[in-house]
């Protein structure tokens, strides 16, 4: 089958004749204009720049995913410890509403508030208190690096505020605080996207 010539329109408007061949004969050559090569170099440089921009643009979301995964693991381990080391007295239930979940600042405030109400005299709570402090400490470190906006400090409200008003009843308040921590952790695990808000 004879080879038919075809025409390539180069970026500079010139025309060059080339022969179509799937298997070029030895010694044959293909002429490419300098303008075409320059445009190819420009295209490759542009693609490389776009890849760099994409890698930078996706850095923050990757860090957020890692943070949420870490908090999820810490919260789950804390729930396991609470279920293992702390038995809710028979007949004791929590009345609604639950504490407000409004960004990482409110999460830290609520957990630190309850942790301060849990008495060290209760059996088996030392590790629980340590785990709560580890979780809030991790979130505080995250916020210091990634939260540049200065939001007003969240106000204490809801069950935490009510419990703080009765903190003289150490034993009763400590038990309810532990129950509220577990309730709040369950809420957090269902709403991890709130961690993305400072």
């Amino acid at each position: 089958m004879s080879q038919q010539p075809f025409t390539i329109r180069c970026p500079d408007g010139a025309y060059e004749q080339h022969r179509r061949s799937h298997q070029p004969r030895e010694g044959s050559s293909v002429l490419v204009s300098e303008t075409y090569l320059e445009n190819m170099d420009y295209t490759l440089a542009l693609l490389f720049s776009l890849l760099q921009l994409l890698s930078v643009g996706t850095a923050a979301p990757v860090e957020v995913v890692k943070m949420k995964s870490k908090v999820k693991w810490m919260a789950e381990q804390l729930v396991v410890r609470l279920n293992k080391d702390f038995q809710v007295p028979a007949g004791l239930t929590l009345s609604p509403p639950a504490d407000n979940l409004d960004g990482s600042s409110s999460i830290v405030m609520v957990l630190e508030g309850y942790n301060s109400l849990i008495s060290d005299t209760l059996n088996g709570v030392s590790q629980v208190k340590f785990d709560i402090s580890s979780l809030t400490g991790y979130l505080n470190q995250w916020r210091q690096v990634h939260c540049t906006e200065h939001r007003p400090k969240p106000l204490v409200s809801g069950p935490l505020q009510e419990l703080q008003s009765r903190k003289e009843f150490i034993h009763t308040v400590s038990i309810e605080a532990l129950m509220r921590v577990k309730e709040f952790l369950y809420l957090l695990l269902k709403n991890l996207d709130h961690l993305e808000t400072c």
Side-chain angles (χ1 to χ4, degrees):
M1 182 176 179
S2 61
Q3 296 177 343
Q4 299 297 325
F6 69 96
T7 302
I8 298 177
R9 182 181 296 274
C10 296
D12 59 356
Y15 290 87
E16 295 180 359
Q17 297 295 327
H18 302 284
R19 292 190 175 278
R20 189 191 310 273
S21 176
H22 294 291
Q23 296 179 348
R25 294 179 181 178
E26 184 179 356
S28 64
S29 62
V30 178
L31 299 177
V32 181
S33 68
E34 291 183 4
T35 305
Y36 185 75
L37 286 174
E38 289 174 359
N39 285 344
M40 285 293 293
D41 290 340
Y42 175 78
T43 302
L44 290 173
L46 182 61
L47 288 173
F48 183 73
S49 297
L50 287 173
L51 287 173
Q52 284 185 318
L53 288 174
L54 286 174
S55 64
V56 172
T58 55
V62 169
E63 291 180 355
V64 171
V65 170
K66 289 181 179 179
M67 178 271 290
K68 289 164 67 175
S69 178
K70 175 73 171 180
V71 171
K72 181 177 183 289
W73 180 83
M74 296 177 78
E76 288 174 341
Q77 295 302 307
L78 186 48
V79 168
V80 169
R81 186 173 298 282
L82 283 166
N83 288 331
K84 177 183 176 182
D85 298 342
F86 174 68
Q87 299 297 321
V88 178
L92 185 59
T93 58
L94 296 175
S95 59
D99 290 277
N100 187 32
L101 189 66
D102 183 26
S104 58
S105 59
S106 70
I107 294 169
V108 170
M109 184 269 293
V110 169
L111 289 176
E112 286 182 342
Y114 283 129
N115 203 21
S116 67
L117 294 174
I118 301 172
S119 174
D120 294 326
T121 60
L122 287 181
N123 293 329
V125 298
S126 58
Q127 188 61 47
V128 170
K129 288 174 66 69
F130 177 81
D131 290 348
I132 296 173
S133 296
S134 297
L135 177 53
T136 56
Y138 175 76
L139 283 174
N140 274 326
Q141 288 181 348
W142 165 266
R143 295 182 68 253
Q144 287 176 4
V145 175
H146 298 89
C147 293
T148 55
E149 58 178 313
H150 296 285
R151 297 183 63 189
K153 187 176 181 180
L155 299 176
V156 178
S157 60
L160 177 58
Q161 183 183 35
E162 193 273 334
L163 207 58
Q164 286 178 338
S165 67
R166 299 189 286 111
K167 61 183 178 180
E168 65 271 15
F169 304 102
I170 298 175
H171 184 76
T172 304
V173 167
S174 295
I175 292 175
E176 186 171 340
L178 287 166
M179 295 172 65
R180 290 291 183 183
V181 166
K182 185 164 69 172
E183 177 189 55
F184 190 72
L185 291 173
Y186 278 131
L187 182 63
L188 172 60
L189 289 169
K190 293 178 181 179
N191 299 275
L192 290 171
D193 287 344
H194 282 268
L195 291 166
E196 299 178 25
T197 304
C198 288

